[in-house]
Amino acid sequence: MKVNNHAVAVTTLFCFFLIVGSINMITLVLSSMILMVFLTRMYRYVRRSGVKSIYFFLLSMLHTVTSLVLYSCKIFLRAETIHIYYFYFWLMVYLSVLYNFKQDAGKIAVVQSKNTNHILYCNKCNIVRPVRASHCRFCDVCVDRYDHHNIWFDQCVGSRNHVSYLLLLLALINLTFSTTWDFFSTACGFVEIWEDFSVPNCKPYILGNKSSVLFAIGLFSFAVLLVTVFHLLIQIKLITFNLTGYEERCLKRGYPIHDDLLRSHYYHSPFNKGFKQNWMSFIVSVKQRVISKQADTV
């Protein structure tokens, strides 16, 4: 059988982080730094080379499975009922939305075109792209209203799964918040700050050179939580100005795109119709894309 090197590498690295990081606080800090450096270098390599890799997707799935196993074994009998319902509800939402997100992102059908001098002509797919579409170098296809290729989920974000991406980020935020809170509270206990308000007491772990598997996975979940919130805020900003991530990157780098329509700052771009109109157009366009997707399946 053919062994996937990415699967072996990500499993070894994540297990190393959990095992070594659960010894004490010093080993947790060292293993976290090694993991962060490795992920940063791998991220830059994938971005620069344009190589399609499932490394980050496997890492996210391994984190989800590990959190589920630890939650079921360590937290299920200790946590409050509302916390248990909260965790499993968002876990189901996360998995269902992830399945929808991994479907078609808005791939444009390849129809040969002889108009090779058109500014929107793609010399790789041999088609004239619609306005706001772009070619994904990872998937090697043209995607309608291309936003970006998300390497953590190994999928493009386009016209047909953009709303699924927003829901996926929202579900992941709630899921990681639940795991972070419950893992920290189980490992560290609570300390009361104000009357009827308590937070996890991680001071003995930080100052007392202690650690555990729950504390290590909770720390990893907290890092995922911060990154996911950051990405969600970026998406909200882009939708507010009716732009895609690809268009914003081109504007920052000064690249002419879409027949030189977007040379100016995105505040003054022709796609920006105001806060209310931008969100209404995004919601309406999503409904239209869902209807067209259902018509294609029929």
Side-chain angles (χ1 to χ4, degrees):
M1 295 181 62
K2 192 174 182 179
V3 179
N4 192 312
N5 294 329
H6 295 278
V8 176
V10 68
T11 304
T12 304
L13 181 63
F14 193 74
C15 291
F16 169 82
F17 167 75
L18 290 181
I19 296 175
V20 177
S22 61
I23 298 176
N24 54 52
M25 182 55 62
I26 297 178
T27 58
L28 178 60
V29 172
L30 292 178
S31 60
S32 300
M33 292 177 62
I34 294 175
L35 181 64
M36 182 176 62
V37 171
F38 188 85
L39 290 179
T40 303
R41 294 181 65 88
M42 189 67 180
Y43 180 84
R44 291 180 178 178
Y45 167 75
V46 172
R47 279 298 182 185
R48 291 177 180 178
S49 62
V51 177
K52 190 176 176 64
S53 174
I54 61 173
Y55 179 88
F56 293 95
F57 179 68
L58 287 174
L59 182 62
S60 62
M61 290 296 98
L62 187 59
H63 167 247
T64 303
V65 172
T66 306
S67 299
L68 176 61
V69 173
L70 289 177
Y71 197 95
S72 302
C73 297
K74 301 289 186 179
I75 312 295
F76 186 81
L77 298 177
R78 302 180 184 181
E80 298 180 4
T81 305
I82 186 65
H83 290 187
I84 297 175
Y85 287 156
Y86 186 87
F87 172 79
Y88 285 104
F89 170 77
W90 283 110
L91 177 63
M92 295 297 103
V93 173
Y94 171 73
L95 294 178
S96 61
V97 175
L98 178 61
Y99 174 79
N100 292 328
F101 173 73
K102 292 287 289 183
Q103 305 304 310
D104 183 22
K107 178 182 177 181
I108 300 174
V110 177
V111 179
Q112 301 294 330
S113 175
K114 297 181 180 180
N115 190 6
T116 57
N117 295 324
H118 199 284
I119 191 173
L120 297 178
Y121 178 78
C122 178
N123 55 8
K124 295 183 179 180
C125 298
N126 296 324
I127 61 173
V128 176
R129 299 189 297 261
V131 177
R132 311 193 74 178
S134 183
H135 187 86
C136 177
R137 61 193 180 113
F138 294 95
C139 301
D140 199 24
V141 295
C142 285
V143 179
D144 182 30
R145 204 179 183 278
Y146 176 73
D147 189 88
H148 71 285
H149 181 89
N150 192 287
I151 63 174
W152 286 100
F153 299 107
D154 193 31
Q155 176 69 317
C156 294
V157 179
S159 61
R160 291 192 171 184
N161 66 349
H162 201 165
V163 64
S164 297
Y165 181 64
L166 294 180
L167 295 176
L168 184 64
L169 293 179
L170 181 62
L172 185 58
I173 288 174
N174 285 274
L175 183 62
T176 52
F177 174 78
S178 176
T179 55
T180 302
W181 181 271
D182 289 335
F183 286 165
F184 277 170
S185 60
T186 302
C188 307
F190 284 98
V191 59
E192 185 175 351
I193 298 181
W194 299 296
E195 186 177 357
D196 298 331
F197 182 77
S198 302
V199 296
N201 182 23
C202 298
K203 187 176 180 180
Y205 278 77
I206 298 175
L207 301 180
N209 197 22
K210 293 175 57 179
S211 185
S212 65
V213 176
L214 289 180
F215 189 80
I217 194 66
L219 184 64
F220 188 88
S221 299
F222 181 70
V224 174
L225 174 62
L226 296 179
V227 174
T228 309
V229 170
F230 177 73
H231 279 281
L232 181 61
L233 293 177
I234 291 178
Q235 287 297 314
I236 292 175
K237 183 196 73 171
L238 292 176
I239 297 175
T240 301
F241 292 105
N242 198 7
L243 281 180
T244 63
Y246 172 75
E247 292 166 349
E248 185 189 38
R249 291 192 299 273
C250 289
L251 285 175
K252 290 181 178 179
R253 298 171 184 174
Y255 295 161
I257 56 175
H258 303 331
D259 204 10
D260 294 343
L261 288 176
L262 293 177
R263 285 186 178 273
S264 59
H265 196 271
Y266 55 80
Y267 287 101
H268 308 99
S269 72
F271 301 129
N272 187 9
K273 305 300 181 182
F275 176 82
K276 181 179 179 180
Q277 191 63 31
N278 290 340
W279 277 94
M280 289 298 297
S281 62
F282 176 77
I283 296 174
V284 171
S285 62
V286 166
K287 292 182 179 180
Q288 293 176 350
R289 290 164 197 150
V290 171
I291 294 175
S292 64
K293 185 176 180 180
Q294 293 175 351
D296 293 342
T297 57
V298 174

